[in-house]
Amino acid sequence: MFLSTFDLFKVGIGPSSSHTVGPMIAAKRFLDNLNSAGKLQEIVSLQVSLYGSLALTGKGHATDRALLLGLSGHDPATIDPEIIDGCLDAIRGEKQVKLLGRCRVAFDETRDIHFRMDELLPHHSNGMEFTAFDKAGEQLAREAFYSVGGGFVVSEQELGSNYPAPVQGPVPYPFDHASDLLATCRDNKLRISDLMLANEMTLQPKKKVLAGLDHLYGVMEACIDRGCAQEGILPGGLKVERRAKRLYGDLQKGMEKQLRDPAIIMDWINLWALAVNEENAAGGRVVTAPTNGAAGILPAVLRYFDRFYNQKGREGIHCFLLTAAAIGSLYKKNASISGAEVGCQGEVGVACSMAAGGLAAALGGSNEQVENAAEIGMEHNLGLTCDPVGGLVQVPCIERNAMGAIKAVDAARLALRGDGRHMVSLDRVIETMRQTGRDMQEKYKETSKGGLAVNMVEC
């Protein structure tokens, strides 16, 4: 089973890949299915039920907004964030939604979206159910979906089959575990990034693969730059003030003094990560890497590499992203990248691991050093809980990205000082993460019922 780089890295909008991007995709997919069956015009009313973590933190994660946008036919990868508020105001003011932009039906979210906080669907905490009715009030269609992290959405039927299914025929270099990956690279004298590129080329020509990587990099860079230019209070009621613009100004003013501070680069990495996650919290355009909640780590570490070390131009960027994707696919296949399933170790922890491996590869590390860097990146995030205050992707999420980026750089540097030999393998740490997530109490899995979410007094 091969997971593409473009499955793991998706362009979307904030604040959450599982609670915003996923529900938007699911809502549109439900209607697309009905449209394909020739039944879209028969819909007179709709009901949406949210379960588990989607219900508990859906308001703070903009799940209700995402559903309205998805039902309207918008896609998270292409929607202009600037039109979102106007679109939502129209739907809420008219109490109507134009399904897929084609036919209007009555829709009042206070009546038609149900937050079932004490109920779960059987397969995952992020469950949702869509029901459509005809003019006689009879059920026209009902479908359940699960948002399983990183913008991945699966239906009830798909979870009953061999999910996730391969996205194409056989690839030249299949791998399911880090041990497979290393052995295949060794046998074929390949870098991890070369192996991923060869596999990607079974889906589309090399030119399109590289153009896709360049697009992802461009979105990441634009997100950092926009985050560094914005100021004000983030939405949601916690009154969290953006810090990136002020920090950026301080760093630019103190350039000469920075020459005397050997640790100043940490401030720049912190800035870049904060900028992305403030944009995410504001509903801006980000790249799920592998999730929105952890979207700042890879862009910050990638900019660090590009600004200070990159001597190969786009080739260095491609190597970083392809290697990071290979590592991320191992977590997706063998554990989880969903905070609602395994806590924040599955989001910030996985992003840290991916960024550490990507950086080690881009800096010329061996495949064994890359695997070591990825292992270090996760090992020191094991047990990290997902406990967003107020159900918002702000506290502690924004700062966690800054810390995760710094950890990723340190993990890569530690690994590059060694020869690739180490005691704990990446496969073992991935399995440990999975087990830790399984044993973690539910209140620490994106429910806002434990941790900082209940121990910080809201002002």
Side-chain angles (χ1 to χ4, degrees), residues 229-235 239-246 278:
Q230 302 301 307
E231 57 188 346
I233 304 298
L234 293 171
K239 299 180 180 179
V240 174
E241 186 177 358
R242 285 182 182 249
R243 289 180 284 175
K245 183 177 180 179
R246 185 176 68 250
E278 287 177 355

Side-chain angles (χ1 to χ4, degrees), residues 154-166:
V154 292
S155 68
E156 186 94 33
Q157 183 179 9
E158 287 168 334
L159 277 171
S161 62
N162 183 26
Y163 173 79

Side-chain angles (χ1 to χ4, degrees), residues 81-154:
E82 299 297 330
I83 73 163
I84 289 176
D85 286 342
C87 179
L88 294 172
D89 287 344
I91 294 170
R92 288 165 170 166
E94 298 169 5
K95 296 193 185 308
Q96 288 185 331
V97 62
K98 196 173 184 181
L99 302 181
L100 299 182
R102 301 179 188 180
C103 47
R104 293 185 182 276
V105 300
F107 194 88
D108 182 349
E109 62 186 301
T110 60
R111 178 194 66 210
D112 298 324
I113 299 179
H114 307 281
F115 292 81
R116 304 193 184 283
M117 298 184 183
D118 297 323
E119 299 178 47
L120 287 171
L121 291 182
H123 299 295
H124 195 281
S125 180
N126 289 338
M128 65 199 107
E129 191 173 71
F130 298 86
T131 309
F133 300 91
D134 62 18
K135 63 182 179 181
E138 296 295 324
Q139 181 176 301
L140 190 63
R142 177 204 151 276
E143 196 165 10
F145 294 91
Y146 298 89
S147 182
V148 295
F152 286 86
V153 173
V154 292

Side-chain angles (χ1 to χ4, degrees), residues 334-335 426-436 438:
N334 299 301
L426 179 56
D427 286 330
R428 285 295 91 207
V429 87
I430 291 173
E431 173 58 17
T432 301
M433 188 271 271
R434 186 192 68 80
Q435 293 176 7
T436 303
R438 180 194 62 196

Side-chain angles (χ1 to χ4, degrees), residues 175-194:
F175 64 92
D176 287 327
H177 300 89
S179 57
D180 306 335
L181 180 60
L182 290 175
T184 302
C185 285
R186 189 164 49 246
D187 292 344
N188 293 278
K189 296 181 173 55
L190 294 171
R191 297 180 304 169
I192 292 172
S193 58
D194 295 329

Side-chain angles (χ1 to χ4, degrees), residues 182-399:
L182 290 175
T184 302
C185 285
R186 189 164 49 246
D187 292 344
N188 293 278
K189 296 181 173 55
L190 294 171
R191 297 180 304 169
I192 292 172
S193 58
D194 295 329
L195 179 149
M196 279 296 288
L197 179 58
N199 285 349
E200 293 290 350
M201 288 166 60
T202 64
L203 296 176
Q204 54 186 337
K206 180 178 180 179
K207 184 176 180 180
K208 286 192 174 182
V209 175
L210 299 184
L213 295 174
D214 289 340
H215 177 62
L216 292 171
Y217 175 63
V219 175
M220 289 179 180
E221 286 283 281
C223 187
I224 292 176
D225 292 340
R226 180 171 170 77
C228 288
Q230 302 301 307
E231 57 188 346
I233 304 298
L234 293 171
L238 288 182
K239 299 180 180 179
V240 174
E241 186 177 358
R242 285 182 182 249
R243 289 180 284 175
K245 183 177 180 179
R246 185 176 68 250
L247 177 54
Y248 180 56
D250 290 345
L251 288 172
Q252 284 205 310
K253 281 187 283 188
M255 288 288 193
E256 288 156 1
K257 293 180 182 178
Q258 291 175 28
L259 297 174
R260 301 194 298 269
D261 184 358
I264 193 66
I265 188 55
M266 294 174 64
D267 290 341
W268 284 99
I269 296 169
N270 284 331
L271 164 67
W272 297 328
L274 292 174
V276 171
N277 280 84
E278 287 177 355
E279 273 298 287
N280 179 62
R285 186 174 303 287
V286 299
V287 175
T288 61
T291 68
N292 283 34
I297 295 172
L298 265 95
V301 177
L302 184 51
R303 180 170 280 200
Y304 161 76
F305 162 72
D306 193 37
R307 292 288 175 86
F308 295 99
Y309 294 99
N310 190 6
Q311 297 179 354
K312 295 185 177 181
R314 293 294 182 183
E315 183 182 340
I317 302 297
H318 300 159
C319 174
F320 186 110
L321 290 172
L322 288 166
T323 304
I327 293 163
S329 73
L330 296 173
Y331 286 96
K332 177 65 180 170
K333 293 174 188 178
N334 299 301
S336 175
I337 57 171
S338 168
E341 194 168 16
V342 294
C344 199
Q345 59 175 356
E347 297 199 31
V348 163
V350 172
C352 179
S353 180
M354 293 168 65
L359 179 59
L363 290 174
S366 68
N367 292 330
E368 288 73 21
Q369 288 172 319
V370 169
E371 187 255 2
N372 188 194
E375 181 275 324
I376 295 170
M378 173 53 76
E379 185 175 341
H380 303 289
N381 279 293
L382 287 172
L384 188 61
T385 60
C386 185
D387 50 354
V389 176
L392 299 167
V393 192
Q394 297 178 17
V395 181
C397 317
I398 294 172
E399 283 185 358

